[in-house]
Short mmCIF file of all heavy atoms in Angstrom, two decimals:
data_model
loop_
_atom_site.label_atom_id
_atom_site.label_comp_id
_atom_site.label_asym_id
_atom_site.label_seq_id
_atom_site.Cartn_x
_atom_site.Cartn_y
_atom_site.Cartn_z
N GLU A 1 -7.28 20.47 8.65
CA GLU A 1 -7.04 21.85 8.21
C GLU A 1 -6.56 22.75 9.37
O GLU A 1 -5.81 23.70 9.16
CB GLU A 1 -8.33 22.44 7.60
CG GLU A 1 -8.76 21.75 6.31
CD GLU A 1 -10.04 22.35 5.74
OE1 GLU A 1 -10.56 23.28 6.38
OE2 GLU A 1 -10.48 21.90 4.67
N ASN A 2 -7.03 22.49 10.57
CA ASN A 2 -6.71 23.36 11.72
C ASN A 2 -5.69 22.71 12.66
O ASN A 2 -5.74 22.89 13.86
CB ASN A 2 -8.00 23.70 12.47
CG ASN A 2 -8.99 24.41 11.60
OD1 ASN A 2 -8.68 25.43 10.97
ND2 ASN A 2 -10.20 23.85 11.49
N THR A 3 -4.78 21.92 12.11
CA THR A 3 -3.75 21.23 12.89
C THR A 3 -2.38 21.47 12.29
O THR A 3 -2.23 21.39 11.06
CB THR A 3 -4.02 19.72 12.96
OG1 THR A 3 -5.30 19.51 13.60
CG2 THR A 3 -2.96 18.98 13.76
N TYR A 4 -1.43 21.77 13.18
CA TYR A 4 -0.04 22.01 12.74
C TYR A 4 0.85 21.00 13.47
O TYR A 4 0.62 20.69 14.64
CB TYR A 4 0.37 23.45 13.11
CG TYR A 4 1.87 23.68 12.95
CD1 TYR A 4 2.42 23.97 11.70
CD2 TYR A 4 2.70 23.64 14.05
CE1 TYR A 4 3.78 24.19 11.56
CE2 TYR A 4 4.07 23.87 13.91
CZ TYR A 4 4.61 24.13 12.67
OH TYR A 4 5.97 24.34 12.53
N PHE A 5 1.86 20.48 12.71
CA PHE A 5 2.76 19.52 13.37
C PHE A 5 4.21 19.71 12.87
O PHE A 5 4.43 20.23 11.78
CB PHE A 5 2.32 18.08 13.08
CG PHE A 5 2.51 17.63 11.65
CD1 PHE A 5 3.66 16.97 11.24
CD2 PHE A 5 1.50 17.87 10.70
CE1 PHE A 5 3.82 16.58 9.93
CE2 PHE A 5 1.65 17.47 9.38
CZ PHE A 5 2.82 16.82 8.99
N GLU A 6 5.14 19.33 13.71
CA GLU A 6 6.56 19.33 13.40
C GLU A 6 7.18 18.01 13.80
O GLU A 6 6.85 17.46 14.86
CB GLU A 6 7.29 20.45 14.14
CG GLU A 6 7.05 21.84 13.65
CD GLU A 6 7.88 22.87 14.40
OE1 GLU A 6 8.86 22.42 15.10
OE2 GLU A 6 7.59 24.07 14.34
N LYS A 7 8.08 17.48 12.95
CA LYS A 7 8.84 16.29 13.31
C LYS A 7 10.07 16.75 14.09
O LYS A 7 10.89 17.51 13.58
CB LYS A 7 9.26 15.51 12.07
CG LYS A 7 9.94 14.15 12.40
CD LYS A 7 10.41 13.46 11.11
CE LYS A 7 9.23 13.01 10.27
NZ LYS A 7 9.70 12.25 9.08
N LEU A 8 10.20 16.28 15.34
CA LEU A 8 11.25 16.78 16.22
C LEU A 8 12.52 15.94 16.21
O LEU A 8 13.63 16.46 16.29
CB LEU A 8 10.72 16.85 17.67
CG LEU A 8 9.52 17.76 17.88
CD1 LEU A 8 9.02 17.63 19.31
CD2 LEU A 8 9.89 19.22 17.58
N GLY A 9 12.43 14.63 16.17
CA GLY A 9 13.60 13.78 16.22
C GLY A 9 13.24 12.31 16.22
O GLY A 9 12.06 11.93 16.18
N VAL A 10 14.25 11.46 16.30
CA VAL A 10 14.07 10.01 16.24
C VAL A 10 14.83 9.37 17.41
O VAL A 10 15.94 9.79 17.74
CB VAL A 10 14.59 9.43 14.91
CG1 VAL A 10 14.34 7.92 14.86
CG2 VAL A 10 13.96 10.12 13.73
N ASN A 11 14.20 8.38 18.03
CA ASN A 11 14.86 7.61 19.08
C ASN A 11 14.37 6.17 19.02
O ASN A 11 13.18 5.89 19.22
CB ASN A 11 14.54 8.22 20.45
CG ASN A 11 15.24 7.49 21.59
OD1 ASN A 11 16.36 7.03 21.40
ND2 ASN A 11 14.60 7.41 22.73
N LYS A 12 15.32 5.27 18.70
CA LYS A 12 15.01 3.82 18.67
C LYS A 12 13.82 3.55 17.74
O LYS A 12 12.84 2.88 18.12
CB LYS A 12 14.71 3.30 20.07
CG LYS A 12 15.90 3.35 20.98
CD LYS A 12 15.56 2.79 22.35
CE LYS A 12 16.75 2.85 23.31
NZ LYS A 12 16.44 2.33 24.66
N GLU A 13 13.88 4.04 16.53
CA GLU A 13 12.91 3.83 15.47
C GLU A 13 11.56 4.40 15.81
O GLU A 13 10.53 4.00 15.22
CB GLU A 13 12.79 2.31 15.20
CG GLU A 13 14.06 1.69 14.66
CD GLU A 13 13.87 0.23 14.29
OE1 GLU A 13 12.76 -0.31 14.53
OE2 GLU A 13 14.82 -0.38 13.80
N GLU A 14 11.52 5.32 16.74
CA GLU A 14 10.28 6.05 17.04
C GLU A 14 10.48 7.51 16.63
O GLU A 14 11.50 8.11 16.97
CB GLU A 14 9.89 5.96 18.52
CG GLU A 14 9.25 4.64 18.88
CD GLU A 14 8.61 4.67 20.26
OE1 GLU A 14 9.15 5.36 21.16
OE2 GLU A 14 7.56 4.03 20.41
N TYR A 15 9.51 8.07 15.95
CA TYR A 15 9.59 9.44 15.47
C TYR A 15 8.73 10.33 16.37
O TYR A 15 7.55 10.03 16.63
CB TYR A 15 9.11 9.51 14.00
CG TYR A 15 10.09 8.90 13.03
CD1 TYR A 15 10.15 7.51 12.90
CD2 TYR A 15 10.92 9.68 12.26
CE1 TYR A 15 11.05 6.93 12.05
CE2 TYR A 15 11.82 9.11 11.37
CZ TYR A 15 11.87 7.73 11.28
OH TYR A 15 12.78 7.15 10.40
N TYR A 16 9.33 11.44 16.84
CA TYR A 16 8.66 12.34 17.77
C TYR A 16 8.10 13.54 17.03
O TYR A 16 8.74 14.10 16.15
CB TYR A 16 9.64 12.78 18.88
CG TYR A 16 9.93 11.71 19.89
CD1 TYR A 16 10.80 10.66 19.60
CD2 TYR A 16 9.31 11.72 21.13
CE1 TYR A 16 11.06 9.66 20.51
CE2 TYR A 16 9.54 10.71 22.08
CZ TYR A 16 10.41 9.69 21.75
OH TYR A 16 10.65 8.71 22.66
N TYR A 17 6.89 13.93 17.47
CA TYR A 17 6.18 15.06 16.83
C TYR A 17 5.70 16.05 17.86
O TYR A 17 5.36 15.67 19.00
CB TYR A 17 4.95 14.53 16.05
CG TYR A 17 5.31 13.72 14.82
CD1 TYR A 17 5.54 12.35 14.92
CD2 TYR A 17 5.44 14.35 13.58
CE1 TYR A 17 5.85 11.62 13.79
CE2 TYR A 17 5.76 13.61 12.46
CZ TYR A 17 5.98 12.23 12.57
OH TYR A 17 6.29 11.49 11.45
N PHE A 18 5.67 17.33 17.41
CA PHE A 18 4.97 18.40 18.16
C PHE A 18 3.73 18.72 17.38
O PHE A 18 3.80 19.00 16.19
CB PHE A 18 5.87 19.62 18.30
CG PHE A 18 5.11 20.84 18.77
CD1 PHE A 18 4.58 20.92 20.04
CD2 PHE A 18 4.88 21.91 17.90
CE1 PHE A 18 3.90 22.03 20.47
CE2 PHE A 18 4.18 23.02 18.32
CZ PHE A 18 3.68 23.09 19.61
N ILE A 19 2.56 18.68 18.03
CA ILE A 19 1.28 18.89 17.35
C ILE A 19 0.51 19.99 18.11
O ILE A 19 0.41 19.95 19.35
CB ILE A 19 0.45 17.60 17.29
CG1 ILE A 19 1.23 16.48 16.57
CG2 ILE A 19 -0.89 17.83 16.62
CD1 ILE A 19 0.57 15.15 16.66
N ILE A 20 -0.08 20.94 17.34
CA ILE A 20 -0.98 21.93 17.90
C ILE A 20 -2.25 21.91 17.05
O ILE A 20 -2.17 21.97 15.81
CB ILE A 20 -0.33 23.33 17.94
CG1 ILE A 20 -1.32 24.33 18.57
CG2 ILE A 20 0.14 23.80 16.59
CD1 ILE A 20 -0.67 25.66 18.92
N SER A 21 -3.39 21.78 17.71
CA SER A 21 -4.62 21.55 16.98
C SER A 21 -5.77 22.36 17.57
O SER A 21 -5.87 22.50 18.81
CB SER A 21 -4.99 20.06 17.00
OG SER A 21 -6.21 19.84 16.33
N ALA A 22 -6.64 22.87 16.68
CA ALA A 22 -7.82 23.59 17.14
C ALA A 22 -8.85 22.58 17.67
O ALA A 22 -8.78 21.38 17.36
CB ALA A 22 -8.43 24.38 15.99
N LYS A 23 -9.79 23.09 18.46
CA LYS A 23 -10.74 22.21 19.12
C LYS A 23 -11.55 21.39 18.13
O LYS A 23 -11.88 20.22 18.38
CB LYS A 23 -11.71 23.03 20.01
CG LYS A 23 -11.03 23.84 21.09
CD LYS A 23 -10.43 22.97 22.16
CE LYS A 23 -9.86 23.81 23.31
NZ LYS A 23 -9.26 22.98 24.36
N GLU A 24 -11.90 22.02 16.96
CA GLU A 24 -12.78 21.31 16.02
C GLU A 24 -12.11 20.13 15.36
O GLU A 24 -12.82 19.25 14.79
CB GLU A 24 -13.29 22.26 14.92
CG GLU A 24 -12.21 23.02 14.19
CD GLU A 24 -11.93 24.39 14.79
OE1 GLU A 24 -12.11 24.53 16.05
OE2 GLU A 24 -11.56 25.29 14.05
N ASP A 25 -10.76 20.04 15.41
CA ASP A 25 -10.05 18.89 14.82
C ASP A 25 -9.75 17.77 15.83
O ASP A 25 -9.20 16.73 15.46
CB ASP A 25 -8.72 19.34 14.19
CG ASP A 25 -8.93 20.03 12.85
OD1 ASP A 25 -10.08 20.03 12.36
OD2 ASP A 25 -7.92 20.57 12.31
N LEU A 26 -10.07 18.01 17.09
CA LEU A 26 -9.59 17.10 18.13
C LEU A 26 -10.15 15.69 17.97
O LEU A 26 -9.42 14.68 18.15
CB LEU A 26 -9.96 17.63 19.51
CG LEU A 26 -9.06 18.78 20.04
CD1 LEU A 26 -9.51 19.19 21.43
CD2 LEU A 26 -7.60 18.36 20.05
N ASP A 27 -11.42 15.57 17.64
CA ASP A 27 -11.99 14.23 17.49
C ASP A 27 -11.28 13.42 16.44
O ASP A 27 -10.92 12.24 16.61
CB ASP A 27 -13.49 14.33 17.20
CG ASP A 27 -14.28 14.82 18.39
OD1 ASP A 27 -13.76 14.74 19.52
OD2 ASP A 27 -15.41 15.29 18.20
N GLN A 28 -11.06 14.05 15.28
CA GLN A 28 -10.36 13.36 14.19
C GLN A 28 -8.91 13.07 14.55
O GLN A 28 -8.37 12.02 14.22
CB GLN A 28 -10.43 14.22 12.92
CG GLN A 28 -11.81 14.30 12.28
CD GLN A 28 -11.82 15.19 11.07
OE1 GLN A 28 -11.79 16.41 11.19
NE2 GLN A 28 -11.85 14.58 9.89
N LEU A 29 -8.29 14.04 15.26
CA LEU A 29 -6.89 13.87 15.69
C LEU A 29 -6.75 12.70 16.67
O LEU A 29 -5.85 11.87 16.51
CB LEU A 29 -6.37 15.15 16.32
CG LEU A 29 -4.94 15.09 16.87
CD1 LEU A 29 -3.95 14.79 15.75
CD2 LEU A 29 -4.56 16.39 17.56
N PHE A 30 -7.65 12.63 17.62
CA PHE A 30 -7.57 11.53 18.61
C PHE A 30 -7.79 10.17 17.92
O PHE A 30 -7.17 9.18 18.31
CB PHE A 30 -8.60 11.74 19.72
CG PHE A 30 -8.26 12.87 20.65
CD1 PHE A 30 -9.26 13.56 21.34
CD2 PHE A 30 -6.93 13.25 20.86
CE1 PHE A 30 -8.95 14.58 22.21
CE2 PHE A 30 -6.62 14.28 21.73
CZ PHE A 30 -7.62 14.95 22.41
N GLU A 31 -8.69 10.14 16.94
CA GLU A 31 -8.90 8.89 16.22
C GLU A 31 -7.64 8.47 15.45
O GLU A 31 -7.28 7.32 15.44
CB GLU A 31 -10.08 9.08 15.25
CG GLU A 31 -10.40 7.82 14.43
CD GLU A 31 -10.87 6.65 15.28
OE1 GLU A 31 -11.35 6.88 16.42
OE2 GLU A 31 -10.76 5.50 14.82
N LEU A 32 -7.00 9.46 14.84
CA LEU A 32 -5.74 9.21 14.12
C LEU A 32 -4.65 8.72 15.08
O LEU A 32 -3.89 7.80 14.78
CB LEU A 32 -5.29 10.45 13.37
CG LEU A 32 -3.96 10.35 12.61
CD1 LEU A 32 -4.05 9.32 11.51
CD2 LEU A 32 -3.57 11.74 12.04
N MET A 33 -4.58 9.37 16.23
CA MET A 33 -3.58 8.99 17.24
C MET A 33 -3.82 7.55 17.71
O MET A 33 -2.89 6.80 17.92
CB MET A 33 -3.61 9.97 18.40
CG MET A 33 -3.09 11.37 18.04
SD MET A 33 -3.46 12.61 19.31
CE MET A 33 -2.74 11.92 20.76
N ARG A 34 -5.09 7.22 17.93
CA ARG A 34 -5.40 5.86 18.37
C ARG A 34 -5.01 4.83 17.30
O ARG A 34 -4.42 3.79 17.61
CB ARG A 34 -6.88 5.76 18.69
CG ARG A 34 -7.29 4.41 19.29
CD ARG A 34 -8.80 4.33 19.42
NE ARG A 34 -9.41 4.35 18.10
CZ ARG A 34 -9.49 3.28 17.30
NH1 ARG A 34 -8.97 2.12 17.64
NH2 ARG A 34 -10.08 3.39 16.10
N TYR A 35 -5.36 5.13 16.08
CA TYR A 35 -5.04 4.21 14.98
C TYR A 35 -3.54 4.05 14.78
O TYR A 35 -3.06 2.98 14.45
CB TYR A 35 -5.69 4.74 13.69
CG TYR A 35 -5.38 3.92 12.46
CD1 TYR A 35 -6.04 2.73 12.21
CD2 TYR A 35 -4.41 4.37 11.53
CE1 TYR A 35 -5.74 1.96 11.09
CE2 TYR A 35 -4.11 3.60 10.42
CZ TYR A 35 -4.77 2.42 10.19
OH TYR A 35 -4.47 1.67 9.08
N SER A 36 -2.76 5.15 15.03
CA SER A 36 -1.31 5.14 14.78
C SER A 36 -0.50 4.79 16.03
O SER A 36 0.74 4.89 16.01
CB SER A 36 -0.86 6.52 14.27
OG SER A 36 -1.55 6.84 13.08
N ASN A 37 -1.19 4.40 17.12
CA ASN A 37 -0.51 4.08 18.39
C ASN A 37 0.40 5.23 18.82
O ASN A 37 1.56 5.02 19.19
CB ASN A 37 0.31 2.79 18.26
CG ASN A 37 -0.59 1.57 18.12
OD1 ASN A 37 -1.67 1.52 18.73
ND2 ASN A 37 -0.16 0.62 17.32
N PHE A 38 -0.13 6.42 18.77
CA PHE A 38 0.60 7.62 19.17
C PHE A 38 0.87 7.57 20.68
O PHE A 38 -0.06 7.46 21.47
CB PHE A 38 -0.16 8.88 18.80
CG PHE A 38 0.53 10.16 19.10
CD1 PHE A 38 1.47 10.67 18.23
CD2 PHE A 38 0.27 10.87 20.26
CE1 PHE A 38 2.14 11.86 18.50
CE2 PHE A 38 0.92 12.04 20.55
CZ PHE A 38 1.87 12.56 19.65
N ASN A 39 2.14 7.63 21.06
CA ASN A 39 2.55 7.57 22.48
C ASN A 39 2.80 8.98 22.97
O ASN A 39 3.85 9.57 22.70
CB ASN A 39 3.81 6.69 22.61
CG ASN A 39 4.23 6.54 24.07
OD1 ASN A 39 3.42 6.75 24.98
ND2 ASN A 39 5.48 6.19 24.28
N ARG A 40 1.83 9.51 23.67
CA ARG A 40 1.90 10.90 24.13
C ARG A 40 2.80 11.04 25.35
O ARG A 40 2.69 10.26 26.30
CB ARG A 40 0.50 11.42 24.45
CG ARG A 40 0.43 12.90 24.74
CD ARG A 40 -1.00 13.36 24.82
NE ARG A 40 -1.10 14.78 25.05
CZ ARG A 40 -2.23 15.46 25.07
NH1 ARG A 40 -3.37 14.84 24.84
NH2 ARG A 40 -2.24 16.78 25.29
N MET A 41 3.72 12.00 25.29
CA MET A 41 4.65 12.23 26.39
C MET A 41 3.97 13.06 27.48
O MET A 41 3.26 14.04 27.18
CB MET A 41 5.89 12.98 25.90
CG MET A 41 6.77 12.18 24.97
SD MET A 41 8.23 13.13 24.44
CE MET A 41 9.06 13.36 25.99
N LYS A 42 4.19 12.63 28.73
CA LYS A 42 3.67 13.41 29.85
C LYS A 42 4.86 13.77 30.76
O LYS A 42 5.36 12.94 31.51
CB LYS A 42 2.65 12.59 30.65
CG LYS A 42 1.38 12.27 29.85
CD LYS A 42 0.41 11.47 30.67
CE LYS A 42 -0.88 11.18 29.87
NZ LYS A 42 -1.85 10.37 30.66
N LEU A 43 5.31 14.98 30.64
CA LEU A 43 6.46 15.46 31.40
C LEU A 43 6.06 16.62 32.30
O LEU A 43 5.29 17.50 31.88
CB LEU A 43 7.59 15.87 30.47
CG LEU A 43 8.22 14.73 29.64
CD1 LEU A 43 9.23 15.30 28.66
CD2 LEU A 43 8.89 13.71 30.56
N ASN A 44 6.56 16.59 33.50
CA ASN A 44 6.25 17.66 34.45
C ASN A 44 7.29 18.76 34.44
O ASN A 44 7.23 19.67 35.29
CB ASN A 44 6.12 17.08 35.86
CG ASN A 44 4.99 16.08 35.97
OD1 ASN A 44 3.93 16.28 35.36
ND2 ASN A 44 5.22 15.00 36.71
N GLU A 45 8.31 18.63 33.57
CA GLU A 45 9.37 19.62 33.52
C GLU A 45 8.85 20.94 32.95
O GLU A 45 8.06 20.97 32.02
CB GLU A 45 10.52 19.10 32.64
CG GLU A 45 11.15 17.82 33.15
CD GLU A 45 11.83 18.01 34.49
OE1 GLU A 45 12.48 19.05 34.69
OE2 GLU A 45 11.72 17.09 35.33
N LYS A 46 9.32 22.02 33.55
CA LYS A 46 8.98 23.35 33.06
C LYS A 46 10.12 23.87 32.18
O LYS A 46 11.26 23.47 32.35
CB LYS A 46 8.71 24.30 34.22
CG LYS A 46 7.53 23.93 35.08
CD LYS A 46 7.32 24.91 36.19
CE LYS A 46 6.10 24.52 37.04
NZ LYS A 46 5.86 25.49 38.14
N GLY A 47 9.79 24.77 31.27
CA GLY A 47 10.81 25.35 30.41
C GLY A 47 11.07 24.50 29.19
O GLY A 47 10.43 23.48 28.94
N LEU A 48 12.09 24.94 28.43
CA LEU A 48 12.43 24.26 27.17
C LEU A 48 13.14 22.95 27.45
O LEU A 48 13.95 22.86 28.39
CB LEU A 48 13.30 25.17 26.32
CG LEU A 48 12.68 26.48 25.85
CD1 LEU A 48 13.71 27.31 25.08
CD2 LEU A 48 11.45 26.21 24.98
#
């Protein structure tokens, strides 16, 4: 209920998402991410 997501694009059969979630949903979100093999991007770039 307290999570928002957008589908951003596709690259090599992988679908990219932007997710914003309240603290109370984090445990369920992390479990879903683990089950779905969610590959979280870690970029040090600033800006858009």
